[in-house]
Amino acid sequence: MAAGGGGVADPLSPAGVPCAFSPLNQAYFALASADGQLRVWETANNRLHQEYVPSAHLSGTCTCLAWAPARLQAKESPQRKKRKSEAIETSNQIDLLALGTAVGSILLYSTVKGELHSKLISGGHDNKVNCIQWHQDNGCLYSCSDDKHIVEWNTQTCKVKCKWKGDNSSVSSLCISPDGKMLLSAGRTIKLWVLETKEIYRHFTGHATPVSSLIFTTIRPPNESQPFDGITGLYFLSGAVHDRLLNVWQVRSENKEKNAVMSFTVTDEPVYIDLTLSENKEEPVKLAVVCRDGQVHLFEHILNGYCKKPLTSNCTIQIATPGKGKKSTPKPIPILAAGFCSDKMSLLLVYGNWFQPIIERVALNSKEPHVCLVRDISNCWAPKVETAITKVRTPVMNSEAKVLVPGLPGHHAAIKPAPPQTEEVESKRRLGENEISIEERLGALDIDTKKEKDDLPQTNSFPVLLTQGLESNDFEMLNKVLQTRNLNLIKRTVLRMPLHAVIPLLQELTKRLQGHPNSAVLMVQWLKCVLTVHASYLSTLPDLVPQLGTLYQLMESRVKTFQKLSHLHGKLILLITQVTASEKTKAMTCPAQKAKLVYEEESSEEESDDEIAEKDSDDNWDEDEEEKESEKDEDVDEENEEEEEDAEEKDEENGEEDRDVASEKELNGDSDLDPENESEEE
């Protein structure tokens, strides 16, 4: 099954060239090259069988191709014998090859006649044809296009039988079910249609990018206990542009399960897929996937329900040159296509270049995880430019001829003073000797080619570089601009860029976000700035939704895991803060071990420890005062009783005032007064 084709301008077009093996024992290999020519090769002896150049091969290049199935022979009815013309017509249909073009037409080429059989144009597509599928029984042809429609063709009358809208965006791939009653179509979502009523039977979520390949992997459901309706329980495979995962889906009877049941992981985008159908549940499916990087990945797996982890390949096949000598290093040879032979134990590999491919049969007996085949393709024919220059003639030049200096007409360019050679040149010209050579003339003009090259007007203006890079699709120029990390420079560039370059810039950013996840940080800065600055212009575009659909799907798929990550981030922060808090409490010293404030007076040296202990206790303060007052009262002379009474009244009043002052000082932290000093003062 071919998964390649498409124009070069579209960044999301499938990679590779349209190619396919013929259904009859893979006797032929059809290859539509980039220049619009169709070449049919014999797989047995690697010989060019036929070559066909369509009349409009330059304007409408071939985007997809499909061989008519081998079972397209009409069954002979018992009532009447088949006419000779009918027999020839049905036998010729076996060798028909359908070609889809970039302008929407479909060509039917007959390999038996070696010429164009018919052309399907009227009422069909008005945009690029993305995929063609033959019906295995009734000879109908199904095609899908960028115009969002699916067309059912009658190949006998070359007219449209039915046409219906397949998706809101372009329909990129088709596949017919094994019983011929259902049709799979895919843009970014995958739909299963009932062919009789053209109604949707099931929906599948699809990929973030356009689906480039669809193929059924089973013809019988694994559970044979239930009656088989022709579709329920079958598995099919899908691969997408810029996607390194091949998803496997199961058609279930209920409409709850929409996600893929398993997936195969590859090293690059798949460009060609071939497989062996499993007829019973014990037989594994064998899968050969050719990637854009030129490798073949082989998978072998029994389809038995859901598998969470993506499956890796059992074997990887690469081809390289021998690299003879010390200087020459082995170089990889890209593999264009791979198909299983009828014995399912060998593989047909097509490698080399599209102009002169090499077809080789390789046995699959090895169980090594990685196989590298060394092939020398230097002997193969390759176009070479032969040197046709055999003799150099100097032009005859008249002595009166005037040599124009570089510069605009009427203006004299600044020329350095002539070197001493010019005198010899002039003398030769005057004496009529041999004609001077071009080299001498250039020397007379003193044109320094290296300096001229260096003095070419160069610009470091990022808006100009960005616009030129987008128009010429110059990878290095775009890298110079898009890999800057200066946010102010990014904003100034986006502000000054022309409006017609906004959509190409968004498409380039989308392409880089898909192909290189590591550069997403830089690309998101550009994307944010473009959407912020040019929001008013983007809102005026009528076809903005289909143009930015890929970007939206990509952002949605990237952000899908963000919520789970934020939940996990929050839980981890809680755990880390708890751990650090507990460690801090363990490491802290007890606050009672060291006093915050220590106040000492000069008289504290004369006091004993007992007095200091009594002084520090607030409860014994008033009792000490009363005892000292009673001692003082006993020492008073009995003769001065009246004076003693007056003194007692005064002492009591002063004691009360002192207690009030002491209590205030206690509150203010100045309660370290000495009770003895206080009584002496009294």
Side-chain angles (χ1 to χ4, degrees):
M1 173 189 172
V8 183
D10 185 9
L12 291 179
S13 62
V17 290
C19 52
F21 289 99
S22 65
L24 286 174
N25 299 323
Q26 297 173 321
Y28 299 105
F29 178 72
L31 183 73
S33 58
D35 59 356
Q37 299 187 20
L38 172 71
R39 293 181 178 86
V40 181
W41 301 84
E42 296 177 7
T43 56
N45 51 15
N46 201 22
R47 193 179 67 182
L48 182 63
H49 179 63
Q50 280 176 7
E51 188 172 10
Y52 171 66
V53 183
S55 57
H57 69 101
L58 295 176
S59 60
T61 55
C62 178
T63 55
C64 55
L65 56 85
W67 290 88
R71 292 181 289 171
L72 209 58
Q73 297 179 357
K75 295 179 181 178
E76 188 176 352
S77 58
Q79 282 81 9
R80 64 181 180 87
K81 291 184 178 179
K82 194 187 298 180
R83 291 180 184 176
K84 191 175 182 182
S85 61
E86 288 180 1
I88 292 170
E89 188 178 0
T90 52
S91 64
N92 285 349
Q93 282 182 343
I94 301 168
D95 300 296
L96 282 182
L97 189 61
L99 308 173
T101 62
V103 293
S105 59
I106 296 173
L107 311 177
L108 297 181
Y109 175 77
S110 171
T111 54
V112 174
K113 297 178 184 176
E115 61 184 18
L116 197 64
H117 181 270
S118 55
K119 197 171 184 180
L120 313 178
I121 304 176
S122 58
H125 300 292
D126 54 6
N127 210 329
K128 185 182 77 171
V129 181
N130 290 323
C131 185
I132 296 174
Q133 284 289 321
W134 289 84
H135 198 283
Q136 55 262 42
D137 298 324
N138 58 16
C140 288
L141 194 70
Y142 294 89
S143 62
C144 62
S145 168
D146 278 355
D147 61 7
K148 309 175 186 178
H149 285 82
I150 302 171
V151 177
E152 182 180 10
W153 298 89
N154 187 340
T155 54
Q156 300 294 329
T157 61
C158 299
K159 292 182 180 178
V160 175
K161 281 181 72 176
C162 185
K163 181 178 179 180
W164 72 98
K165 188 175 180 181
D167 208 327
N168 292 327
S169 59
S170 63
V171 186
S172 55
S173 190
L174 294 175
C175 183
I176 296 174
S177 65
D179 63 349
K181 294 178 181 177
M182 297 283 185
L183 176 74
L184 273 173
S185 75
R188 289 187 180 86
T189 60
I190 302 172
K191 298 175 182 176
L192 185 62
W193 303 83
V194 181
L195 280 179
E196 190 176 350
T197 59
K198 309 297 185 294
E199 293 177 352
I200 297 176
Y201 180 72
R202 287 284 179 273
H203 269 285
F204 302 92
T205 50
H207 297 254
T209 51
V211 175
S212 59
S213 52
L214 280 175
I215 186 167
F216 273 93
T217 57
T218 52
I219 55 174
R220 290 265 174 217
N223 188 5
E224 297 177 357
S225 60
Q226 299 175 355
F228 181 44
D229 60 354
I231 192 71
T232 305
L234 294 188
Y235 293 89
F236 68 90
L237 185 85
S238 69
V241 178
H242 301 310
D243 199 345
R244 297 179 183 180
L245 283 179
L246 291 168
N247 287 339
V248 181
W249 313 80
Q250 188 176 15
V251 184
R252 301 183 183 272
S253 55
E254 70 276 1
N255 203 11
K256 294 177 183 177
E257 186 70 35
K258 290 185 179 181
N259 296 325
V261 292
M262 67 181 74
S263 57
F264 300 104
T265 177
V266 289
T267 54
D268 207 343
E269 174 188 337
V271 295
Y272 193 95
I273 300 173
D274 191 47
L275 53 81
T276 61
L277 290 170
S278 63
E279 299 181 1
N280 53 32
K281 58 184 179 181
E282 286 86 10
E283 185 181 359
V285 172
K286 288 185 178 180
L287 192 67
V289 184
V290 181
C291 295
R292 185 188 279 206
D293 57 5
Q295 299 184 44
V296 177
H297 298 276
L298 299 176
F299 298 90
E300 193 169 337
H301 184 70
I302 298 174
L303 301 175
N304 53 1
Y306 184 75
C307 182
K308 189 175 181 181
K309 189 178 180 183
L311 301 169
T312 55
S313 59
N314 298 341
C315 179
T316 304
I317 300 177
Q318 279 182 302
I319 301 178
T321 57
K324 296 175 182 176
K326 295 181 180 179
K327 293 183 180 179
S328 61
T329 55
K331 295 181 180 179
I333 302 171
I335 300 174
L336 304 176
F340 285 101
C341 299
S342 54
D343 59 354
K344 299 183 181 181
M345 296 303 294
S346 54
L347 200 66
L348 272 176
L349 293 180
V350 183
Y351 58 91
N353 54 12
W354 55 265
F355 193 78
Q356 181 78 22
I358 299 168
I359 304 169
E360 183 182 345
R361 185 167 177 165
V362 178
L364 298 177
N365 297 328
S366 174
K367 293 186 178 180
E368 296 178 10
H370 191 90
V371 176
C372 185
L373 305 174
V374 179
R375 299 289 182 267
D376 189 5
I377 60 169
S378 59
N379 297 328
C380 296
W381 182 87
K384 293 178 182 177
V385 180
E386 296 181 0
T387 54
I389 302 167
T390 56
K391 187 179 180 182
V392 179
R393 289 186 63 184
T394 28
V396 178
M397 189 172 176
N398 192 4
S399 59
E400 297 177 357
K402 184 181 179 182
V403 179
L404 295 175
V405 296
L408 295 171
H411 294 78
H412 295 284
I415 299 177
K416 290 181 180 180
Q421 295 180 14
T422 51
E423 296 176 4
E424 298 175 10
V425 173
E426 291 295 327
S427 62
K428 278 186 182 179
R429 190 179 296 174
R430 287 195 199 99
L431 295 171
E433 294 177 359
N434 292 332
E435 203 61 47
I436 57 174
S437 65
I438 298 289
E439 186 180 356
E440 289 173 335
R441 288 180 203 156
L442 290 175
L445 293 173
D446 193 32
I447 295 176
D448 191 356
T449 52
K450 291 182 180 177
K451 189 167 187 254
E452 287 286 331
K453 191 173 182 182
D454 292 340
D455 292 339
L456 284 174
Q458 293 182 350
T459 177
N460 288 327
S461 172
F462 270 42
V464 177
L465 283 174
L466 181 62
T467 310
Q468 289 177 353
L470 290 171
E471 287 175 356
S472 61
N473 202 11
D474 192 332
F475 189 72
E476 293 181 1
M477 198 181 291
L478 287 172
N479 270 355
K480 183 179 179 182
V481 179
L482 294 178
Q483 286 184 355
T484 178
R485 296 179 179 272
N486 191 341
L487 294 178
N488 292 327
L489 186 58
I490 292 173
K491 191 170 183 180
R492 287 200 304 270
T493 306
V494 174
L495 276 168
R496 294 176 185 173
M497 67 182 290
L499 285 177
H500 64 81
V502 172
I503 291 294
L505 175 59
L506 286 174
Q507 291 174 348
E508 178 67 25
L509 292 174
T510 308
K511 179 182 172 184
R512 287 170 179 261
L513 277 170
Q514 289 170 329
H516 308 283
N518 294 332
S519 65
V521 179
L522 284 175
M523 297 306 113
V524 165
Q525 297 289 350
W526 279 92
L527 198 60
K528 179 183 175 183
C529 201
V530 171
L531 295 177
T532 309
V533 172
H534 296 289
S536 56
Y537 165 69
L538 291 171
S539 61
T540 60
L541 298 176
D543 56 345
L544 183 67
V545 175
Q547 283 187 340
L548 298 185
T550 307
L551 180 61
Y552 175 75
Q553 295 283 345
L554 178 67
M555 290 165 68
E556 194 177 19
S557 62
R558 288 282 179 94
V559 178
K560 198 174 284 183
T561 55
F562 180 72
Q563 192 174 3
K564 296 179 182 176
L565 286 174
S566 61
H567 287 324
L568 181 62
H569 183 63
K571 290 178 181 176
L572 287 173
I573 285 176
L574 281 174
L575 287 171
I576 290 167
T577 49
Q578 286 179 359
V579 169
T580 51
S582 63
E583 287 178 353
K584 280 182 182 177
T585 53
K586 289 178 183 176
M588 280 174 66
T589 57
C590 183
Q593 290 177 0
K594 187 176 180 181
K596 289 186 178 179
L597 179 66
V598 177
Y599 179 80
E600 293 181 357
E601 281 192 350
E602 295 177 359
S603 59
S604 61
E605 296 175 359
E606 301 170 0
E607 294 167 5
S608 63
D609 293 336
D610 298 330
E611 287 175 346
I612 290 169
E614 287 175 359
K615 177 188 73 173
D616 288 334
S617 65
D618 295 337
D619 298 336
N620 299 330
W621 179 269
D622 296 334
E623 294 174 5
D624 292 342
E625 273 190 356
E626 289 171 3
E627 286 174 5
K628 283 168 184 153
E629 282 177 4
S630 61
E631 287 173 5
K632 186 175 70 175
D633 292 340
E634 286 173 4
D635 296 332
V636 175
D637 196 16
E638 291 177 0
E639 293 176 359
N640 299 326
E641 286 179 0
E642 292 177 1
E643 293 176 6
E644 185 183 342
E645 286 174 4
D646 296 334
E648 280 179 6
E649 288 175 4
K650 287 180 182 180
D651 289 339
E652 284 176 4
E653 288 173 3
N654 293 333
E656 287 174 3
E657 288 176 4
D658 291 339
R659 278 194 292 272
D660 294 334
V661 172
S663 61
E664 284 179 11
K665 289 185 178 181
E666 281 175 18
L667 292 172
N668 295 328
D670 301 332
S671 60
D672 294 329
L673 295 174
D674 189 25
E676 285 186 3
N677 296 340
E678 209 173 281
S679 60
E680 285 172 4
E681 286 169 9
E682 287 172 7

